[in-house]
Amino acid sequence: MTPIEFAEKYGLTVSSPGEGDSREIGGVYCCDLLSMVMGRASENDAFLTVMGNVNTVAVAVLADVSCVILCEGIQLDEPTLEKARAQDVCVLLSPEPTFQVALKLARELGMV
Amino acid sequence: MPSLKLQYQVDGTDFTRAGEASSSVKKNLRKLGMPADIIRKVSICLYEGEINMVIHADGGVIDVLVYPDRIEMILADTGKGIADIDKAMQEGWSTAPDEVRSLGFGAGMGLPNMKKYSDEMRIESTVGVGTTVYMTVRTGASQSA
Ligand SMILES: Nc1ncnc2c1ncn2[C@@H]1O[C@H](COP(=O)(O)OP(=O)(O)O)[C@@H](O)[C@H]1O
Ligand SMILES: [Mg+2]
């Protein structure tokens, strides 16, 4: 499933489409400590977080995740969003808690 | 002789720009057709190093040398230096200010991540003079130049 397909199915807002319609979600990683994300997220993971600053975008690029999903209604400010768009990072927004979003992804990916 | 040499000045005052050097290196390595796992390792090493130069020093200079069989990274700053390198290498040990922590860094995992994702790492540091971090990521089979 691609990030955009996931967003459409569950009504998440596509804040920056990036490569969200060409990459497949390979796994799920939830964390707000960006160094932990750098070290532990796998390539193509959906990266779920409430940390919405410009470094979130940099980490997404460098860790090569398939998308960032900002949970709990967190939004990116305009300069950060511009950066995400410029770097082709797919950013989705959900009003739900991280766990709820992760659970949906887990079901879609056949993990549970 | 390296087949590609890249150099970046890291601005020590602007935390939001940290990552620009790492992103640029990533793009360059992609253009060279480097495997994704190698690019990821280099990206993680450089980004953590770049963040450290901004948080703990006043910026600095990053040199990246691409050789047929390896990528060498040299991150040099003239910041406050590290008094106890062994301690700094421990996961969770950090002197980062709260303001940095609230942005998702300062968990004390930067140097351990750099160690984990590089094949070789060496730190030279003198308190009050500065810090230089040397890292090497091997690219495996040596390609013909
Ligand atoms: N370039 C540097 N200059 C001075 N001190 C540094 C530098 N890099 C790391 N340090 C010291 O080492 C500690 C651990 O670094 P690191 O593992 O990256 O964790 P963090 O950056 O989250 O604190 C830092 O808190 C800091 O005290
Ligand atoms: Mg650090």
Side-chain angles (χ1 to χ4, degrees):
Chain A
M1 175 175 253
T2 68
I4 299 295
E5 285 166 352
F6 180 74
E8 280 168 0
K9 182 158 178 182
Y10 292 99
L12 282 76
T13 305
V14 180
S15 181
S16 160
E19 298 175 329
D21 58 358
S22 56
R23 294 183 70 155
E24 287 286 320
I25 300 174
V28 187
Y29 190 83
C30 310
C31 191
D32 305 313
L33 285 177
L34 296 178
S35 283
M36 203 162 285
V37 180
M38 279 307 277
R40 308 231 174 120
S42 302
E43 190 186 344
N44 295 323
D45 276 354
F47 161 32
L48 277 55
T49 185
V50 295
M51 187 62 71
N53 64 57
V54 70
N55 303 297
T56 309
V57 173
V59 166
V61 170
L62 297 165
D64 214 7
V65 295
S66 56
C67 62
V68 177
I69 305 182
L70 285 173
C71 303
E72 304 273 11
I74 301 287
Q75 308 256 351
L76 293 182
D77 58 24
E78 200 46 48
T80 304
L81 201 49
E82 264 166 40
K83 206 157 200 172
R85 290 183 181 134
Q87 306 219 51
D88 280 333
V89 176
C90 175
V91 180
L92 309 178
L93 309 177
S94 170
E96 291 192 310
T98 306
F99 178 77
Q100 300 299 328
V101 179
L103 193 55
K104 287 174 178 139
L105 281 165
R107 289 201 184 108
E108 284 299 335
L109 298 178
M111 294 167 164
V112 288
Chain B
M1 266 267 290
S3 52
L4 180 67
K5 265 182 173 179
L6 302 165
Q7 187 176 74
Y8 301 90
Q9 306 289 327
V10 177
D11 181 344
T13 58
D14 192 353
F15 193 57
T16 63
R17 287 185 56 197
E20 285 182 2
S22 319
S23 298
S24 168
V25 171
K26 180 179 173 163
K27 278 189 205 119
N28 276 287
L29 295 182
R30 257 198 189 160
K31 261 188 245 154
L32 289 180
M34 286 281 170
D37 59 324
I38 300 290
I39 296 178
R40 214 177 102 86
K41 286 170 79 175
V42 170
S43 298
I44 292 170
C45 291
L46 279 180
Y47 186 58
E48 291 287 6
E50 199 178 344
I51 288 278
N52 280 353
M53 287 172 124
V54 178
I55 304 176
H56 306 296
D58 316 307
V61 180
I62 298 181
D63 283 290
V64 178
L65 307 172
V66 181
Y67 290 93
D69 62 338
R70 69 191 186 281
I71 297 165
E72 287 184 5
M73 297 163 265
I74 303 162
L75 293 82
D77 68 60
T78 52
K80 62 181 185 289
I82 305 174
D84 187 338
I85 294 175
D86 288 339
K87 214 181 217 175
M89 288 301 299
Q90 284 171 21
E91 214 167 278
W93 195 86
S94 174
T95 61
D98 285 347
E99 145 212 354
V100 164
R101 223 157 277 170
S102 71
L103 291 169
F105 287 99
M109 296 193 57
L111 292 175
N113 275 348
M114 288 151 76
K115 172 112 190 138
K116 179 174 165 193
Y117 285 96
S118 61
D119 294 304
E120 270 165 56
M121 174 170 159
R122 185 163 55 88
I123 301 176
E124 282 171 5
S125 189
T126 308
V127 174
V129 177
T131 301
T132 304
V133 180
Y134 301 87
M135 290 179 285
T136 303
V137 168
R138 277 191 281 275
T139 51
S142 81
Q143 300 132 351
S144 57

